[in-house]
Amino acid sequence: MAHYANDDNMINAFKRNHDIHTETSMRIFGLKSKTEVTPGMRRKAKEVNFGIIYGIGAFGLANRLEIKNSEAKEIIERYFREYPNVRTYMEETKKFAHENGYVETLLGRRRYLSQINNQNAAARAEDERAAINMPIQGTAADMIKIAMNNIYIEFVKNKLESKMLLQVHDELVFEVKKTELEKVKKFVIDKMKNAIKLSVNIEVEVGVGESWYEAH
Amino acid sequence: MTEKLFLIDAMAMIYRAYFAMISSPLINSKGKNTSAVYGFVNSLIKILEEQSPDHIAVCFDTASPTFRHIEFPAYKAQRQEIPTDMPWQIDKVKEIVKAFNIPMIELPGYEADDIIGTLVKQAEKGNVLSYMVTPDKDYMQLISDKVFMFKPAKTQYGTDNEIIDKEGVLKKFGVTPDKVIEVLGLMGDASDNIPGIKGVGEKTATSLIQEFGSIENMYKNIDKITKPKLKENILSQKKEALLSYMLVQIKTDVPLNINFHNLNKRPEDAELLSSLFEELEFKTLTRKFAKDGAGGDTSSAPKSNMRPGANAELYENIKVDVKDKPRIIKTIADVKHEYIIIKNVKEFDNLIKLLNKEDIICFDTETDALDAMNTNLVGMSFCFEEFKAYYVPVSGNLFDRKAKKGIKEKSLFDNAEQIAANENSTKGIDISIAVEKVKPLLENKKIKFVGQNLKYDYLVMRNYGIEMSNLFFDTLIGAYILRPEGAHDMDSLSEKFLGYRPISIKELIGKGKEQITMDKVDIDKAGEYAAEDADVTLQLFYKLKYDLGKADMRKLCDDIEFPLIKVLSEMEFAGFKVDEKILASINKQTEKFIKEYEAKIYAAAGEEFNINSTQQLAHILFNKLNLTPLRKTKTGFSTDVKVLEELKYQHEIAALLVDYRMLTKLKSTYLDGLKMQSIRGQEEFIRYSIRWRRRQADFQASIRICRIFRSELKPVGVSEKRSSLGINLILLCQRIIHRSNSALWRIMQMMTI
């Protein structure tokens, strides 16, 4: 979202290595310092950050956070005040979809939206939500695919016995031989970070353990 | 001789074409929607060629307000803004009509209806038959012995032009044309925001006019209306009725100063048309009007016998809703082909020699089960030139999958009679010889392999120790990238892109209980089917390659999607191990939760009942607890999750039921599913497959456990000594179900191991 919207406040948060949910929390609740952010506030901010990407409205947000509609509406308004380019991105994406009948990712993967110009408001709204969401989610999917391809090449090139086992959303699971661990860790992080060049840095966390659960 | 006058309501026809294709619009390489222009132009050309009108004109509305807007400001006010990809299409239509040299008429303050109404009434006096080209039912008021409505077929494939005459109006409306405005006045027209009388639909309006003859007469005899509610509405909304009556009336006295005799088409500017169509990327039309195409009306012979594939670049990217498409679909009986069955090792050697010289080969496997990790190879097919393909049947099982599974199935020898009868034909090449001979070919990096769902074929061969090298193009994935919506199986793609219906697998192996496996099918039949698959896939490859290139999507395929096939296949081949103790523990806890929820639901209902019976549940919810039913099904009131979600606000039982449903789903789909698989296969490996999700550029993992083959030929991929990777089931399910399913998510958070 930060890359697509090219929003200074958002990009700077990433550049300064701030936790984006804490940052959003401070902005939408009008706090001055990180220490004032409670876990509950951060959770709410996280719902807002993701909710916006999914094209959620005040009603949907109110439902998720179990707060009043009016309160949710206010939170969303403040969000857009703090991240003005996000709204611009959303409007421009919708406009593009209306004119072209599709949206696409950074790499040109398309999704056609057959209902985007429907006279029926509900059908249209659903495609508008999809229009906002798809470029972001789709680019994320492109990123993990590119990372997987590049990681696989490394496994083959280095003739390693370790293996890539699972891909779950933004997470990859490996089975790694102890002697190969450091090497694998290094190139996995590198390939995941640099799958697609964006205007913000991609953070990669690594966990190691005897089972997937332990690795978390 | 009687003359024919055609008057086209342009906007109505443009909108109709636009919305006829709205679910799969025609999009050109620049991403522009061209459906409306395309639909309009095809209808126009069909009229010119098939109806040979003596006089013709295309009539447009203008943006200026008409007398209807002035009388009734809300007229058409509810209409959504014009779709943004429409205005330029309207301009294009005007340019094209101009290039055809057909008169265009528009007059500020009047709609096309009024212009057409005036002209047909003028023509009625002469020896002329008038055709109003429009889908709009309002025009029915103008129909007479000499005036007709002409509705062109909705798509270019349709042949069913509809001509509506006086009888047609009587059939449609139950009244004669002169009474149409009376009916419309009463019922109003939602699409134009004409109010009519509230509560009066077409049926009531028709029967009222049948009884009284006119709105005026109805009010004179208002006491004859017996239904009190209806009478009340009619009385209270007299103003609306009279206004609507006036609005629906098409004017026939527009000051036009045009004589229809002067509405003549002059020779078109073919060169201009050709370049306009080229710009729009309507290839057939571009050629049709190109200089050497003889120009004009007769050069329209459809190039339907064109071969797909090699000539793919000549194909037009025509997309029409499938259900509207009475297209001629060819089958194997209509196409000249050469499908060769390899009967012995010598023939196979020769084929391998031939194949080694090729650059691109389409490859397909035939097996006896759908699960690539747990199947026997029955045959392989190859194709490198269209309409010619080879099938190599193999015999003998390396793994003897069925015997190991402990499932009693008819073995091959049960079919001894059948085999004896087929002694002349081959049983196929011995599997170990076939594998040995095909391995160097499939592993040759220089040969580009093409296939439909290559992951399947890759995994089948991988289980025979062969690692295919160059997975060059997958038609399933290519078609998905080009058009994510719709089906992507080979048969559907073939019909859609090639206009060819392949032999169906059901013809071969039957269906349901009677279904047999591929290894039991007569080799000659199997060979024709399998070779055809490879042939069709190769043709699809050429077509899709071209379309993807035109849409600028080759890079996405070549750089990301196609290389990923091997990565995913290898991941699936590796599999992972599941901690069965954890699986059992989660299962137990889930059962406990289900019991608890049952108790709570019984308490809330005030009695015990079968929660899984929708009828009993509906009885509890809607009879006993008196909740408001929201939707009906065939058998009663709906109790599906959506309904329950909404009932949450009425009664606590609904929320409990939502969670209960989630839990039972978790148990049946995930936990029991995994457990069953893990018992069937002795080794505790989960294999999972990754499917291409229909609409999202994302994966969806579905899990299953299979057993692993033990065999000399087994590749070293899966080591027996591998460290145990205990997969935490909760984590896995959480990730797969994801947070969108919030109720299940919440429950899973509560679980502990």
Side-chain angles (χ1 to χ4, degrees), chain B residues 98-301:
Chain B
K98 203 168 164 208
F100 267 115
N101 243 325
I102 295 171
M104 280 190 280
I105 309 173
E106 59 180 30
L107 191 64
Y110 295 93
E111 295 184 57
D113 320 18
D114 304 313
I115 296 168
I116 292 173
T118 304
L119 287 170
V120 297
K121 288 299 154 195
Q122 185 194 97
E124 216 167 37
K125 295 175 194 136
N127 188 18
V128 182
L129 297 180
S130 301
Y131 295 88
M132 307 177 288
V133 182
T134 180
D136 189 345
K137 64 179 180 320
D138 292 4
Y139 280 87
M140 289 191 186
Q141 60 187 277
L142 299 167
I143 289 172
S144 69
D145 288 331
K146 289 181 183 171
V147 179
F148 309 93
M149 229 175 109
F150 184 93
K151 278 166 99 171
K154 245 190 186 165
T155 71
Q156 58 153 345
Y157 299 111
T159 49
D160 46 339
N161 298 321
E162 194 186 351
I163 294 172
I164 301 169
D165 57 10
K166 273 164 73 183
E167 270 71 36
V169 178
L170 200 60
K171 239 192 219 161
K172 282 229 152 91
F173 262 114
V175 295
T176 49
D178 57 309
K179 302 288 182 204
V180 165
I181 38 172
E182 310 282 349
V183 174
L184 288 173
L186 286 179
M187 64 186 264
D189 186 349
S191 70
D192 287 344
N193 211 24
I194 294 174
I197 289 176
K198 223 175 106 191
V200 174
E202 191 176 325
K203 258 194 182 160
T204 314
T206 305
S207 68
L208 284 169
I209 296 305
Q210 279 167 347
E211 189 178 351
F212 298 108
S214 71
I215 295 178
E216 204 190 351
N217 200 39
M218 177 185 76
Y219 277 107
K220 277 185 190 152
N221 296 287
I222 190 73
D223 289 326
K224 286 190 186 156
I225 295 172
T226 47
K227 289 181 190 158
K229 182 82 192 152
L230 179 63
K231 189 173 171 183
E232 189 195 310
N233 278 341
I234 291 175
L235 278 173
S236 68
Q237 292 172 61
K238 187 167 180 180
K239 217 177 91 201
E240 281 79 356
L242 294 177
L243 174 72
S244 302
Y245 175 79
M246 187 202 71
L247 291 172
V248 297
Q249 210 165 345
I250 293 175
K251 278 198 171 294
T252 54
D253 57 356
V254 175
L256 273 177
N257 297 325
I258 291 173
N259 187 300
F260 74 87
H261 275 114
N262 297 329
L263 298 174
N264 300 321
K265 181 183 179 302
R266 279 168 296 148
E268 69 262 27
D269 184 347
E271 211 180 313
L272 180 57
L273 281 174
S274 182
S275 75
L276 280 168
F277 293 142
E278 189 169 29
E279 186 200 327
L280 287 157
E281 301 180 19
F282 300 162
K283 294 215 171 148
T284 312
L285 292 174
T286 308
R287 273 199 310 279
K288 186 181 169 97
F289 293 96
K291 251 189 192 152
D292 47 354
D297 299 344
T298 46
S299 65
S300 60

Side-chain angles (χ1 to χ4, degrees), chain B residues 49-62:
Chain B
E49 292 181 358
E50 294 171 11
Q51 307 297 326
S52 0
D54 300 285
H55 310 293
I56 185 167
V58 180
C59 307
F60 286 86
D61 302 333
T62 69

Side-chain angles (χ1 to χ4, degrees), chain B residues 654-668:
Chain B
L656 291 170
L657 284 165
V658 170
D659 285 359
Y660 175 84
R661 289 260 172 94
M662 295 294 172
L663 278 170
T664 46
K665 191 185 168 195
L666 169 71
K667 185 163 160 54
S668 62

Side-chain angles (χ1 to χ4, degrees), chain B residues 587-598:
Chain B
N587 217 343
K588 235 170 124 186
Q589 283 187 66
T590 309
E591 277 165 18
K592 208 181 106 207
F593 272 124
I594 290 175
K595 280 266 174 311
E596 281 173 25
Y597 270 89
E598 271 171 9

